[in-house]
Amino acid sequence: MARNELIEKTLTDAMNYARTFLHTGKVATYIPELAKGYPDKLGACVITTDGEIYSAGDWHQEFTIQSISKTLTLIMALQTAGYDRVFSKVGVEPTGDAFNSLVRLETKNTHPLNPMINAGAIATADCCMNSKDPFGDFLALTRKLCRRNTIHLDEAVFQSEKKAGMRNRSMAYLMQGDNILEHDAEDVVDLYFWMCSLSVNVEDLANYALILANNGVDPRTGETLLEDWIVRIVKTLMVTCGMYDASGEFAMKVGIPAKSGVGGGIMGTVERKMGLAAFNPALDPKGNSVGAYRVLEYLSHYLGLHYFSGSSYTVS
Ligand code: GLN
């Protein structure tokens, strides 16, 4: 299969472009173990539906999946508890608030507004607990979609999250009090922290994004890995809520369904074309990776990946 020289060159240029912004970001420190990340690490990977892999920079570097796991948690929740049950506990509207905000649980309604914020992911993790082996099943799902059987837990980050997870515990207790959670708050947050602490690299995430881009079917094998109605829900929520309270700006400037995590990863999916992922632990004030954001922005602009490409938008 022929390598696409335009993708190769644009990826190299995207990395150079992104590097000029890294100094503007800071690694996450609210989870002490994440503070050990190197802010100048930058990696990216693009996998096209014809199976070609384009990798650049620190593509082999592992980092914790963090909030990108929220897409997998939603998938598993829909698979184990079904549409009605999941969406009786969590909504589908963007919040405009920080990912770890508690405020809407009191002022808007008791249900978290969407599955891509911490409160919503804790509610979907609760749905996953109906499986016999939630940890094992989640790991198996992640490994299958990322196409790597050696994906494992980063134990140090997991312990660090547990120690520093007061806000997440508060949300869980509020939701247990309001009967949104059906299991004990401590058990649910434990599963949530564990899901966030799986260690991945950009190639893993690009593989997963490719399956989403191809509506659940692995284009390389023809195997159906996910039902298309589930993929549609996940990608829709990635568009509206995947980049925290910068989802609107990202939709306008980049226009790729994406999900970001405070470990520094961003995964993006381009309909029927490619899965992509980038990594850089330096975060902007909203918790999105500075370098990964810029890699995706550049690729979108110069490869015409915006879902409304043809419209004029500029890389600022
Ligand atoms: N585990 C992190 C937390 O709960 C995930 C947040 C994120 O990546 N935005 O705070």
Side-chain angles (χ1 to χ4, degrees):
M1 225 150 306
R3 300 282 292 172
N4 183 316
E5 282 175 21
L6 179 65
I7 296 180
E8 239 157 33
K9 180 181 180 325
T10 311
L11 185 57
T12 307
D13 293 346
M15 297 289 286
N16 292 334
Y17 168 75
R19 271 196 194 94
T20 65
F21 294 93
L22 302 189
H23 67 279
T24 65
K26 287 198 176 73
V27 296
T29 51
Y30 77 102
I31 298 170
E33 198 57 28
L34 292 184
K36 296 182 180 165
Y38 294 101
D40 53 351
K41 291 253 181 214
L42 180 69
C45 181
V46 174
I47 307 183
T48 48
T49 37
D50 61 6
E52 284 293 319
I53 303 179
Y54 304 84
S55 305
D58 300 304
W59 65 268
H60 54 276
Q61 174 71 46
E62 292 197 15
F63 53 93
T64 49
I65 190 167
Q66 295 299 338
S67 274
I68 300 168
S69 67
K70 291 176 166 76
T71 59
L72 293 156
T73 310
L74 175 61
I75 290 171
M76 184 168 154
L78 289 168
Q79 288 175 336
T80 48
Y83 180 99
D84 291 340
R85 178 102 160 270
V86 169
F87 291 114
S88 72
K89 292 172 184 297
V90 61
V92 293
E93 301 304 335
T95 65
D97 300 320
F99 61 84
N100 57 0
S101 174
L102 287 144
V103 70
R104 305 291 180 120
L105 292 176
E106 274 286 278
T107 58
K108 181 83 178 169
N109 51 35
T110 53
H111 290 68
L113 282 182
N114 72 68
M116 299 295 145
I117 51 171
N118 289 13
I122 292 168
T124 49
D126 181 66
C127 295
C128 296
M129 290 190 61
N130 294 315
S131 122
K132 273 205 194 84
D133 176 12
F135 296 85
D137 288 350
F138 185 80
L139 182 61
L141 177 71
T142 306
R143 286 176 168 176
K144 181 175 77 172
L145 295 175
C146 293
R147 239 190 178 205
R148 182 161 71 90
N149 280 329
T150 51
I151 287 178
H152 59 277
L153 182 76
D154 183 326
E155 182 67 35
V157 171
F158 176 53
Q159 293 304 334
S160 189
E161 288 223 35
K162 277 176 75 149
K163 249 196 202 138
M166 311 317 169
R167 290 187 74 84
N168 290 320
R169 268 193 199 93
S170 311
M171 292 170 206
Y173 276 106
L174 272 174
M175 290 189 287
Q176 190 181 3
D178 287 326
N179 297 317
I180 295 165
L181 300 191
E182 291 172 16
H183 304 87
D184 185 71
E186 288 296 336
D187 294 339
V188 181
V189 285
D190 235 42
L191 177 61
Y192 166 78
F193 293 142
W194 196 92
M195 290 163 152
C196 290
S197 303
L198 293 185
S199 182
V200 292
N201 61 37
V202 284
E203 190 174 316
D204 299 332
L205 294 179
N207 269 313
Y208 167 35
L210 178 69
I211 306 302
L212 296 179
N214 207 41
N215 294 333
V217 178
D218 188 331
R220 296 157 294 195
T221 61
E223 194 187 349
T224 300
L225 302 181
L226 292 173
E227 290 175 84
D228 59 354
W229 67 272
I230 292 183
V231 175
R232 197 157 52 237
I233 290 171
V234 171
K235 284 193 291 201
T236 305
L237 286 161
M238 284 165 69
V239 170
T240 54
C241 314
M243 298 294 289
Y244 317 131
D245 43 333
S247 297
E249 179 199 290
F250 191 84
M252 186 177 70
K253 288 192 178 167
V254 184
I256 294 174
K259 185 71 200 87
S260 149
V262 292
I266 302 180
M267 166 188 89
T269 161
V270 183
E271 211 57 10
R272 301 282 181 190
K273 283 202 180 111
M274 60 178 69
L276 51 151
F279 157 73
N280 157 242
L283 307 181
D284 67 20
K286 293 190 172 175
N288 290 314
S289 163
V290 167
Y293 189 127
R294 293 294 176 171
V295 168
L296 265 63
E297 181 185 49
Y298 195 95
L299 291 176
S300 173
H301 188 78
Y302 287 99
L303 295 176
L305 305 178
H306 192 290
Y307 28 64
F308 305 125
S309 59
S311 61
S312 66
Y313 59 98
T314 49
V315 177
S316 58

